[in-house]
Amino acid sequence: MTSGDNLLVAAIDFGTTFSGYAFSFRHDYDLNRLNIFANTSWIAGGAGLVSWKTPTTLLLNADQSFNSFGYQAEEDYIGILDNDDEDPDNYYYFKRFKMLLHGKLTLDRNVMIKDIGGKEMPALDVFCHSIRYLKDNLMTTLENRSIDIKEEEIRFVLTIPAIWNEPAKQFMREAAVKAGILSRNLVLALEPEAASLYCKHIPVDRMDTGNPGETSIIPFQEGMSYMVLDLGGGTVDVTVHQVTGDDTLKELFKASGGAWGGTRVDQAFQALLKNVVTETCFDAFCRDNRPDLLDFERELELRKRTVVDSARKPVVMKVPIALPTTYEDMTDKSRDDAIKESIHNGKITFKRDKMLIDVDLFCGCFTDCTESIKGHVEDILKRPEINGHLDAIIMVGGFSESAIIVQSLRKAFPGMRVIVPQDAGLAVVKGAVLYGHCPTSISSRVCKFTYGIAAKATFKPGIHPESQKSENNGKFYCKNVFGKFIGIGENAGIGQTVKQSFGITSLTAPVVIEIFASTEPNPIMVTDEGCTKIGSITVRPPEAGWKPDTDLEVDMDFGSAEFTVSACDAKNKTDSFSTTFDFLE
């Protein structure tokens, strides 16, 4: 689909911890781009609280068929655990499984994933069930609003971390197609880019700069540049954009980031508890008291967002009675003994069903995340592409609602405007809707790797390895030379393709071109360290086969959110051929 030919754009924000969706009609986009509807029908557990998002939690039946998703899956699973007539092992329960795809330069489409109890099933099916639920829930919402529209009239946008590689992107696309979304109607949006688009349009009075009453500097005028920190549950994504003369966004530095999201705080807090009640007792509590563990996780999620490091009062958390009871039963010691014998003696107190934690100790659970984020931002600011000049840092994503994280960044960069949008947790999904209406809003991107193919070249002594040397008609050649398409850090504009010509070896066989990615700017061989085969391009012959003199011209676009490729006859460019990428093993 091209921009403007869809009646409605619906974005699905598939997160590590929470997921949701939003949508808007084309006519609303034309009148007011921020007139975007975000679903508010998620009910947060027994408290009956309305939430903008629902947990990325999936419950399947014994035959791997769908049971429930989100808050409902959590409640249903608790019911199963509390029902003596039910066996939890007859169900599959998945949570926070998106990180399976993080950092993968190679990925098998048949990769398996374990549920909370250790049972395995194909990861593609787990992602498919989840995306299908969100899509179907969207269609139900549209129906309840008396909106008569067919799925094929909707452009679907699926959000993904910008630091994900091509195999992970393809995996998500295949899962979405398996979930019933037409591939031609599907667009992948990079999460921080989507957030950047949204922030570019929201009024300045809906920005929190940390300075009361500051409205004198309007962000995002032509020539201004800013960094977007998309802080999620699993990852922190970072992009740097500049507003261009045609009101699009140009990427100044390649998308980057790491696994520094909110789940790292959870892990640090668990380590703190293990120092108090011992690792053996904590693991036993988690294994035998899953309903209590879920309540405890929700309690921690709330405290992560509300505690400020400038507070002097202890952090009060409701603790399931099963936690200290498990310790007492397994050790024949009291909960007070646990504290006295731990390294946190004097900083933690148990009072009935409450645990009082020294605020500095609690904030220490954020240290790993905050130091990683600050260090990464400092490194980017030193890059020659940025040269220390940014007009603002924008924090979005659910984890940016944590006052501890926000305060940490503002203290680390006192001369920088650190901005948090009013609805930071929805910036990605609403921005993805904007992107779906106009994918050309991002005019250029910076390559994360050097891309190329395995080529045959004239042998160069001292440069090429002797092991790759071959002779033909008295001339010496080297195989597996890195044939560079585009280099790491180079600017790739939308629609600006890299052209390469290839010959055919068989009149009937497809031409398969293997693609390699390298972390070096100018690799010599595809066998060099830091170089990985990430997939292949397949160009299929016409029904009548290739013409004997065919030379293929393959055009590759490295500037889009996903790689695109096309092929034609180099002599007669009106003859195009079926061409596909495949990044999954």
Side-chain angles (χ1 to χ4, degrees):
M1 300 176 92
T2 57
S3 178
D5 64 0
N6 47 287
L7 297 177
L8 181 141
V9 169
I12 296 174
D13 182 11
F14 190 91
T16 299
T17 310
F18 292 94
S19 295
Y21 60 81
F23 60 85
S24 76
F25 283 93
R26 181 71 204 186
H27 62 267
D28 286 330
Y29 173 82
D30 292 336
L31 293 173
N32 178 7
R33 294 184 178 182
L34 295 181
N35 189 11
I36 300 170
F37 176 85
N39 181 42
T40 58
S41 64
W42 316 114
I43 306 300
L49 300 175
V50 173
S51 173
W52 293 99
K53 291 185 178 182
T54 194
T56 308
T57 304
L58 175 68
L59 179 65
L60 302 178
N61 299 312
D63 61 356
Q64 300 184 359
S65 62
F66 180 82
N67 183 294
S68 51
F69 185 86
Y71 286 116
Q72 190 61 55
E74 291 183 346
E75 297 302 322
D76 289 348
Y77 191 61
I78 289 175
I80 292 168
L81 294 170
D82 288 340
N83 188 342
D84 293 336
D85 296 329
E86 289 276 16
D87 184 357
D89 289 337
N90 289 333
Y91 295 85
Y92 292 80
Y93 186 65
F94 297 93
K95 61 185 300 183
R96 298 182 177 179
F97 49 87
K98 180 181 172 183
M99 288 297 286
L100 172 76
L101 306 182
H102 174 65
K104 297 289 194 298
L105 252 180
T106 59
L107 185 63
D108 187 338
R109 60 167 46 86
N110 298 314
V111 63
M112 303 294 284
I113 187 172
K114 292 182 179 180
D115 83 332
I116 195 172
K119 298 186 297 297
E120 284 192 333
M121 67 174 288
L124 193 66
D125 291 342
V126 174
F127 282 81
C128 168
H129 278 301
S130 304
I131 295 171
R132 182 186 289 118
Y133 168 81
L134 293 166
K135 173 184 70 73
D136 291 347
N137 191 281
L138 161 73
M139 298 308 298
T140 299
T141 297
L142 294 174
E143 183 179 346
N144 291 340
R145 290 167 64 93
S146 300
I147 298 173
D148 184 17
I149 191 168
K150 300 176 182 178
E151 287 188 22
E152 55 266 29
E153 296 173 318
I154 300 174
R155 168 177 282 171
F156 287 92
V157 184
L158 188 60
T159 66
I160 57 172
I163 56 176
W164 272 13
N165 298 315
E166 298 310 311
K169 295 177 187 178
Q170 183 177 336
F171 188 93
M172 288 298 288
R173 173 172 285 277
E174 291 193 6
V177 171
K178 190 172 183 178
I181 298 176
L182 296 174
S183 185
R184 68 174 182 272
N185 287 10
L186 178 62
V187 175
L188 300 188
L190 307 184
E191 290 165 358
E193 287 188 354
S196 180
L197 283 176
Y198 178 68
C199 293
K200 177 173 169 289
H201 289 97
I202 60 178
V204 69
D205 59 1
R206 295 176 63 190
M207 298 278 200
D208 174 16
T209 66
N211 300 318
E214 180 186 358
T215 58
S216 58
I217 303 176
I218 300 176
F220 318 137
Q221 295 174 328
E222 179 183 346
M224 298 185 76
S225 57
Y226 56 93
M227 177 186 295
V228 177
L229 299 179
D230 178 18
L231 287 75
T235 61
V236 173
D237 260 2
V238 186
T239 57
V240 182
H241 283 149
Q242 183 178 60
V243 182
T244 66
D246 59 1
D247 204 34
T248 61
L249 295 177
K250 173 185 178 181
E251 191 174 53
L252 297 182
F253 180 69
K254 63 184 177 71
S256 56
W260 314 316
T263 54
R264 289 282 281 271
V265 178
D266 300 349
Q267 293 164 6
F269 186 72
Q270 288 180 7
L272 184 154
L273 292 176
K274 290 176 181 178
N275 280 324
V276 176
V277 299
T278 74
E279 183 172 354
T280 301
C281 293
F282 183 78
D283 290 344
F285 160 75
C286 295
R287 182 184 64 248
D288 301 332
N289 302 274
R290 290 179 184 173
D292 289 334
L293 176 62
L294 176 59
D295 289 338
F296 201 28
E297 289 173 343
R298 289 176 176 174
E299 178 83 0
L300 176 59
E301 195 66 34
L302 179 62
R303 295 294 173 264
K304 282 161 57 178
R305 297 168 186 262
T306 56
V307 172
V308 294
D309 60 6
S310 58
R312 291 296 94 204
K313 295 181 179 180
V315 178
V316 181
M317 289 189 63
K318 186 175 181 180
V319 178
I321 192 65
L323 179 58
T325 299
T326 299
Y327 174 81
E328 292 168 350
D329 291 344
M330 293 182 68
T331 64
D332 291 328
K333 296 179 181 179
S334 70
R335 65 188 70 185
D336 292 333
D337 291 334
I339 294 174
K340 290 177 182 178
E341 296 175 5
S342 80
I343 61 175
H344 304 306
N345 185 28
K347 297 185 177 181
I348 296 178
T349 305
F350 279 114
K351 288 189 177 181
R352 295 180 294 278
D353 63 341
K354 302 290 193 301
M355 182 168 60
L356 283 63
I357 310 170
D358 178 84
V359 67
D360 291 333
L361 179 61
F362 184 83
C363 291
C365 295
F366 290 74
T367 300
D368 188 25
C369 289
T370 54
E371 291 304 309
S372 295
I373 295 169
K374 288 189 293 186
H376 191 69
V377 172
E378 288 172 352
D379 289 343
I380 292 178
L381 290 175
K382 295 174 184 176
R383 298 287 305 184
E385 302 93 324
I386 311 301
N387 197 26
H389 176 70
L390 282 180
D391 293 292
I393 295 175
I394 306 172
M395 300 177 64
V396 299
F399 196 32
S400 67
E401 296 175 9
S402 166
I404 295 175
I405 294 290
V406 176
Q407 290 174 348
S408 173
L409 266 293
R410 284 178 172 158
K411 288 178 181 177
F413 305 100
M416 183 73 65
R417 298 176 68 221
V418 178
I419 299 172
V420 184
Q422 191 176 67
D423 47 0
L426 292 174
V428 169
V429 71
K430 287 189 174 183
V433 173
L434 297 175
Y435 181 79
H437 281 295
C438 187
T440 56
S441 298
I442 308 295
S443 57
S444 68
R445 295 179 174 88
V446 177
C447 284
K448 294 187 293 181
F449 297 96
T450 298
Y451 296 100
I453 61 170
K456 186 178 180 181
T458 301
F459 185 83
K460 296 179 180 179
I463 296 178
H464 294 150
E466 291 287 336
S467 61
Q468 302 294 322
K469 184 178 180 182
S470 63
E471 181 183 1
N472 187 12
N473 294 326
K475 294 183 179 180
F476 292 99
Y477 297 92
C478 183
K479 60 182 180 179
N480 290 324
V481 174
F482 194 101
K484 181 177 174 180
F485 289 153
I486 192 167
I488 186 171
E490 290 186 24
N491 187 276
I494 302 300
Q496 296 179 0
T497 60
V498 177
K499 300 180 185 293
Q500 292 283 344
S501 295
F502 301 91
I504 59 172
T505 57
S506 169
L507 296 179
T508 57
V511 174
V512 179
I513 306 162
E514 294 182 337
I515 304 297
F516 293 81
S518 174
T519 55
E520 297 297 324
N522 294 294
I524 303 298
M525 309 293 295
V526 297
T527 54
D528 287 352
E529 185 177 355
C531 185
T532 305
K533 177 190 170 184
I534 61 170
S536 61
I537 300 170
T538 300
V539 186
R540 294 174 180 82
E543 289 187 10
W546 301 113
K547 297 176 182 177
D549 60 345
T550 298
D551 277 329
L552 294 178
E553 182 177 276
V554 178
D555 290 2
M556 285 155 284
D557 183 354
F558 293 96
S560 301
E562 295 178 273
F563 287 173
T564 59
V565 61
S566 62
C568 66
D569 190 314
K571 300 183 184 68
N572 184 3
K573 296 188 178 183
T574 59
D575 291 344
S576 60
F577 308 112
S578 173
T579 311
T580 56
F581 264 126
D582 190 0
F583 293 107
L584 296 175
E585 298 178 350

